[in-house]
Every structure is written in structure tokens, then in C-alpha cells.
Amino acid sequence: MPILTLYFQLHQPYRLNPDRNTFLWDDLNKEIFFKVASKCYLPAITMFGELISGHKGFKITLGMSGTFLEQAEQYAPEVIVALQRLYDAGNNEFRQVEYLDETYYHSLTSLFADPEKKEFRDQVSLHRDKVRNLFGIKPASFRNTELMFNTEIASAVSDMGYKAILCEQRDDMFGGTDQPISPNAVFKARDNNLVVIPRNRDLSDDIAFRFSHKPLTPDEYASYIARIDGEAVMLGYDFEHIGEHIWEDTGIFDFWRGLPAALEKHESIV
């Protein structure tokens, strides 16, 4: 009986201007954000709002970098409004929508050679403040840049009060040949009680990277999830695969619209 987590990441960097007398490339940043908001952010956020309203068992988790949220405020505030409405719609007895904390700048500060991880903690605090100001919430779960994870990162994240962290799969999580552990499992970080949830890379990438040339139907994908060999599966995607990296005419919106009903056909999927 796999416990399913669907996680999406939203990030936009600030691009630097090739003119060395100017720091940020404001015109290009604005142009790209407008384009992605039109093709992906607004229609996909609206779609997920409709899906959680129509399917009370369907839940999603979003991670949003601080630079994404800043640009949304600056260039397309309707994206912030859509995200606020999405969270409000999912903040019900079924707890259908969760927003995560992370590093503000989608940075590599967790790898800095600093035992105190001061820059990492400062950026996480900045993100925490941004999420509280925009959505009025204090996330309990954490997502590090590119889902990077080690015991030092886990220690800092636990110390900052988070209960869970999402991560990429690591080969050393799954035991040896004598006592193999399913990659589809929930782990506990060493030396603290932080819950560690690894991403199932293959099933995630079937949609995020391979859908455009090898599309799956919602029923096919749900059947793969139902056959998971462990207790839990976390599927993680770049949010922009919906409409931006994978265009609408491929059927990617139709896939997500059909997935909740397909999942409901399998009593084993929670």
C-alpha cells in the first residue's frame, strides 16, 4: 500500500545583464516570467485548484524558491494570488496542499565548508519570512536545492525545527545485498528524528522528461504507482514541465487532469 507524495518545484533565477555596467537583465527576466506564467504557472495552478476541489483524496506539495516568489510579485502578481487561492482551497480537513521551505536563492550554501552553516541558515530564514508574509504559514517540511542531502544538512534542518526533508535517492540508503531496503521507503536521519523522503527518480522522470516522446496515460501511470514495492513513494517534478518544457499540445495538461481519477481506481494507493 504505497503512500504517495506528489511534489513540484517552482524556480526562476535572476539572469545577469551582459552589459557589465548593469547588474540584472530586467527586460529578459520580465519577458521570460511573463511567458512561463502564461503557458505554465497560471493555467497549471488553476488546474490543480480544480483537481483538489473535485478529488478530496488528491494532494500536492509545492516548493517555491525566493527568487521565483520575488519575480512573481514584481512581474506577475496574479501568480501570487493564484498560489494563495490554491493553498486556501487545500487548507481543509483533508489537508490537500502543502508548501515547503528551502534556500531563498536556490543556492548551494548547504555545501559550504562552515560547521555552523550560517549562510545556509540565513537563506532558509529569508525564505521562511517570505512564505509567512505571502501565505501566512510556517512550513513544517523542507526541500534543499536540487534535493541535496547528507547528515550535516539533515542536522541543520532538524535544528531549525523542520519535521521532514525531501531528497534525491542515495545508493547508501538502501542497505547491502544481504539486507536490501526498498528505495520506496520513509527513512529517519542519523542522530535526529528528521523524516527523510527520497524521490523515485525513474517514475518521476517518466513524466517530467520522457512524456513528450513517450507519453503515458493516467491509467498506465497509476498502475505503475500501485505496483510500487515499498511503503511510500515520492514523485518530484519541475513544475514548468507542465506547459513550458512539455507543451500543451502533447497532452500534458490532459494527463494531470486525468490522474486523480486514475489513482482513485486503486484502493492500495494512499
Side-chain angles (χ1 to χ4, degrees):
M1 179 177 288
I3 300 171
L4 172 64
T5 298
L6 296 173
Y7 149 75
F8 302 86
Q9 177 62 28
L10 296 92
H11 169 62
Q12 278 292 332
Y14 278 113
R15 294 154 189 86
L16 303 183
N17 198 307
D19 179 356
R20 295 191 178 188
N21 296 317
T22 306
F23 182 41
L24 296 179
W25 203 346
D26 291 328
D27 291 343
L28 184 62
N29 290 325
K30 182 177 182 179
E31 177 186 335
I32 290 176
F33 202 94
F34 273 159
K35 176 174 70 75
V36 182
S38 174
K39 295 176 62 179
C40 167
Y41 299 144
L42 289 171
I45 293 168
T46 299
M47 174 186 70
F48 281 124
E50 294 168 352
L51 291 177
I52 65 170
S53 295
H55 302 270
K56 296 306 181 184
F58 184 68
K59 304 182 180 185
I60 61 171
T61 299
L62 300 186
M64 299 165 284
S65 70
T67 57
F68 163 82
L69 293 170
E70 270 191 19
Q71 291 184 72
E73 287 182 286
Q74 183 177 0
Y75 302 134
E78 60 270 28
V79 171
I80 297 295
V81 172
L83 287 167
Q84 291 168 337
R85 289 174 177 168
L86 176 64
Y87 186 83
D88 290 344
N91 185 25
N92 52 33
E93 61 179 307
F94 304 103
R95 299 178 64 193
Q96 290 177 263
V97 176
E98 180 181 15
Y99 290 170
L100 304 174
D101 267 337
E102 57 184 85
T103 58
Y104 192 92
Y105 298 104
H106 195 73
S107 70
L108 303 179
T109 52
S110 63
L111 302 181
F112 286 7
D114 172 17
E116 302 300 322
K117 295 201 177 295
K118 183 179 185 308
E119 178 64 24
F120 174 73
R121 291 171 182 264
D122 286 349
Q123 289 196 21
V124 174
S125 294
L126 278 175
H127 190 273
R128 180 182 285 173
D129 290 343
K130 176 66 77 174
V131 170
R132 183 179 65 248
N133 290 336
L134 289 177
F135 305 108
I137 60 175
K138 183 179 180 181
S141 300
F142 188 83
R143 174 261 178 203
N144 194 24
T145 306
E146 300 302 328
L147 300 179
M148 293 184 299
F149 173 84
N150 60 33
T151 54
E152 290 183 359
I153 295 169
S155 178
V157 171
S158 176
D159 186 59
M160 294 185 75
Y162 296 100
K163 297 180 180 179
I165 186 170
L166 278 56
C167 73
E168 280 290 358
Q169 291 177 348
R170 291 172 52 120
D171 291 341
D172 58 1
M173 285 179 167
F174 310 132
T177 55
D178 295 335
Q179 291 183 314
I181 301 171
S182 169
N184 301 300
V186 177
F187 295 80
K188 185 177 81 68
R190 181 174 294 172
D191 301 327
N192 60 66
N193 290 319
L194 190 70
V195 174
V196 181
I197 308 173
R199 183 177 82 107
N200 184 306
R201 188 176 300 115
D202 289 339
L203 271 178
S204 301
D205 291 353
D206 278 345
I207 303 304
F209 292 104
R210 292 186 280 271
F211 185 89
S212 57
H213 54 85
K214 190 180 179 182
L216 292 171
T217 68
D219 285 328
E220 288 173 326
Y221 199 54
S223 70
Y224 295 160
I225 296 170
R227 294 199 295 268
I228 284 293
D229 63 352
E231 63 187 349
V233 58
M234 193 265 282
L235 304 179
Y237 320 85
D238 183 341
F239 196 84
E240 290 181 14
H241 84 274
I242 310 173
E244 169 64 6
H245 301 323
I246 302 175
W247 290 4
E248 183 177 8
D249 61 10
T250 65
I252 190 64
F253 279 92
D254 292 334
F255 168 83
W256 282 108
R257 289 190 185 99
L259 186 61
L263 293 171
E264 290 169 356
K265 297 176 183 177
H266 299 272
E267 293 184 359
S268 63
I269 299 174
V270 179

